[in-house]
Amino acid sequence: MANSSLSGACPAPFLDNARFPTTGGLVVGRLCAPLPQIEQDLICCLPCPSTDFIYPKSFKTWYRVGESLNALGLFFCLFLLITFAVLPADKTRRHYLSICLILAIIVEGLGFIVPLGVQPPQCFNEITPNDMYSNLTCAWSGALLISGGLAITVWIFVRALSMHLQICWDIIPGQKFFYFAQAGGWGVVALLFTLTVIFTGFSFRFGDTCHVNSKNSIRVFWAPLLAIAGLSAMIQGATFIYCINVYLKNMWSDEKTETNGSSALPSYTSSLRTHSAKAVYRRVRKVVWLQWRSMLIVVFILADVVFFAIVFIYMDSVIVEVTQRHDITHVMPWILCLFEDGKATEKCLNLGQDALVNQATVVAILFLLGLAGVQVFVLLARWTMFTGWVEWFRAKFFPNREFVSLDAKRFSGDQRTFELMRVGSRDPLTINTPETAVISPTETAVTSASYTGKSIDYFGKSPDFGKDISLSRNRDYVSPTMSFSSPRTPSQMIRDSRSTRESRQSRIREWDPTSTYARGGLGLHPPNEESDDEFETSDRNRI
């Protein structure tokens, strides 16, 4: 009876728009269309939630799976952030571009996780969905989802620009670029988010998460989002083209070098061009090897954002035609099917998905959004992170307790102590000389001093009596048995160095290059200008 009173002149399952108040919830979000064929000024609306008449019951299960993937991606992103904060930089290779992108993915993932535990009511009444003003969960989930999506797109652009500057222009972004990225990145996100909330808003479109409304969404939200994503794609494409061009130039220069080497000597211009191509190729190859993770992240996230935007723009265009322009030609087969059956049968569900968006596309969007965190974790995680955590836990909970000798602990405060100590001696300056087969000139003095308990100050003073001892200053030099040298005075050393220098110069003047078949000099054979540094070094060594 209640359904018949709310339906009015509208055929089942549609409800009469005039039977419901014009306030509360998102009134413009009602799926209504005029039916003057039945009655003048009759507007019939589809019951809320409208997804029950478009998608089968399995859609809710797939939606829960998508939310679970977002929870998994959130866990991985939090793990990366904690790892960046705890472990040193050499273990994580952290960078502010990666940290900002992870924060953006976390914010977007929270937009799906908040409704997962709350399960808010999607409808304000039988035909009106809840919006950000009528439901608090909708406000939080929509704000997190929209701000996270904007932040991901903006930081993907900053990441693509940073790689383009490094690879194509050999410019390393420094501190100025950091401040520009932080101010510009988060500033653009805040501006677009504010405009979206003011002029568009968000409500329950499908599922438990609020999405951007169709009114003014293209001009305020989707157009700037696609513009930033398109600019990022252009920059990334230019970077790829530059890398391919450098690779082809390097291949061409190698082929030209081989051809010239077989026929004639290359010119200076071709040699310089070949060297430049090789140098640029080495630099680009090194930078690409360091940035391949970032390049894949940009490609994957851009594909997700563009696909998500295209699907929503298409769905919004269909809804605007029905609700605002009152053009039901595109959805007429689906409406007629509902008129005939009076309920959402399998046939009507297929027609509804053909008119709007099919279930496979919506599920793919949910899965791509949920896998964003997993993709970033796979590309940014390193094996050194896990080994670093193992070392951190081992140092935290299982510290390495080294063995400390009692003698070292006893004499650690005395700076004059040595490693060789007499065990059990009360005098810390007593030296215990080990037995050895090598006899040195001063062995007798050191051994006798150790036996008498006296120590020798090798700097010339006795620490016990404060008197000078001349063991080293007044001792005669004893030449070793197998030594063929003798002490010389400074004047003798000067005379020996002069005679050695004169004999070397005479040998150089008497040397004839032709007698050893060596080249006469650099003037007769100029060096090859195309040779690398290592070949030039070998020529100099030969000369």
Side-chain angles (χ1 to χ4, degrees), residues 168-405:
C168 300
W169 302 99
D170 196 16
I171 298 176
I172 305 299
Q175 190 174 10
K176 294 183 179 179
F177 185 85
F178 167 77
Y179 290 122
F180 169 78
Q182 295 294 329
W186 297 115
V188 170
V189 172
L191 177 62
L192 294 179
F193 175 77
T194 304
L195 295 176
T196 303
V197 172
I198 294 175
F199 296 101
T200 302
F202 28 86
S203 61
F204 288 104
R205 305 287 298 277
F206 58 86
D208 297 334
T209 302
C210 284
H211 300 272
V212 182
N213 296 327
S214 58
K215 182 181 178 181
N216 300 325
S217 61
I218 296 179
R219 290 178 296 178
V220 176
F221 182 78
W222 295 115
L225 188 71
L226 284 179
I228 298 173
L231 190 59
S232 303
M234 292 175 59
I235 294 176
Q236 191 69 19
T239 305
F240 282 146
I241 293 174
Y242 177 80
C243 293
I244 295 173
N245 187 25
V246 169
Y247 177 73
L248 294 178
K249 279 187 177 180
N250 179 71
M251 291 182 59
W252 179 76
S253 63
D254 290 343
E255 293 177 358
K256 185 173 181 180
T257 303
E258 294 175 0
T259 304
N260 292 334
S262 60
S263 59
L265 292 176
S267 62
Y268 176 79
T269 305
S270 62
S271 174
L272 183 62
R273 188 184 303 112
T274 302
H275 182 72
S276 301
K278 288 183 178 180
V280 174
Y281 174 73
R282 293 192 190 100
R283 181 185 63 81
V284 172
R285 183 180 62 181
K286 181 179 180 181
V287 177
V288 170
W289 177 252
L290 295 174
Q291 298 287 342
W292 68 270
R293 300 171 184 264
S294 298
M295 298 175 72
L296 290 181
I297 289 174
V298 171
V299 172
F300 289 159
I301 301 299
L302 277 180
D304 298 345
V305 171
V306 172
F307 180 63
F308 182 76
I310 291 175
V311 172
F312 263 88
I313 289 175
Y314 171 76
M315 185 171 61
D316 289 341
S317 63
V318 174
I319 294 176
V320 168
E321 288 181 0
V322 174
T323 57
Q324 298 181 13
R325 300 175 184 174
H326 304 298
D327 185 6
I328 60 175
T329 305
H330 187 67
V331 297
M332 183 57 71
W334 174 50
I335 294 176
L336 293 177
C337 179
L338 293 176
F339 284 168
E340 294 176 359
D341 295 344
K343 57 183 179 179
T345 59
E346 187 67 25
K347 180 181 178 181
C348 297
L349 294 177
N350 294 332
L351 292 174
Q353 294 179 31
D354 294 339
L356 296 174
V357 181
N358 56 31
Q359 179 181 353
T361 304
V362 176
V363 171
I365 291 176
L366 295 175
F367 279 23
L368 288 177
L369 293 176
L371 289 175
V374 180
Q375 292 173 353
V376 170
F377 172 77
V378 172
L379 293 175
L380 292 183
R382 302 171 182 270
W383 181 250
T384 54
M385 292 182 179
F386 302 99
T387 57
W389 276 113
V390 172
E391 295 175 0
W392 186 83
F393 278 106
R394 186 178 299 170
K396 194 72 174 178
F397 300 101
F398 303 99
N400 186 17
R401 299 180 179 178
E402 298 181 355
F403 173 76
V404 180
S405 175

Side-chain angles (χ1 to χ4, degrees), residues 491-526:
S491 59
Q492 292 178 349
M493 295 174 63
I494 294 174
R495 287 196 299 270
D496 293 343
S497 62
R498 289 179 180 175
S499 61
T500 304
R501 184 167 57 255
E502 291 175 357
S503 62
R504 187 183 301 111
Q505 292 177 357
S506 63
R507 287 197 301 269
I508 293 175
R509 287 194 299 267
E510 295 174 358
W511 176 68
D512 186 9
T514 59
S515 62
T516 56
Y517 301 97
R519 293 189 295 181
L522 293 176
L524 299 177
H525 301 279

Side-chain angles (χ1 to χ4, degrees), residues 51 55-71 111-113 115-116 119-120 122 141 145 203-211 308 312 359 362-367 369-370:
T51 54
Y55 304 110
K57 295 181 179 179
S58 60
F59 175 75
K60 295 181 180 180
T61 304
W62 287 112
Y63 196 88
R64 297 297 181 188
V65 174
E67 291 178 338
S68 301
L69 286 178
N70 278 277
F112 289 94
I113 296 175
L116 182 62
Q119 296 184 4
Q122 301 182 23
S141 63
L145 180 62
S203 61
F204 288 104
R205 305 287 298 277
F206 58 86
D208 297 334
T209 302
C210 284
H211 300 272
F308 182 76
F312 263 88
Q359 179 181 353
V362 176
V363 171
I365 291 176
L366 295 175
F367 279 23
L369 293 176

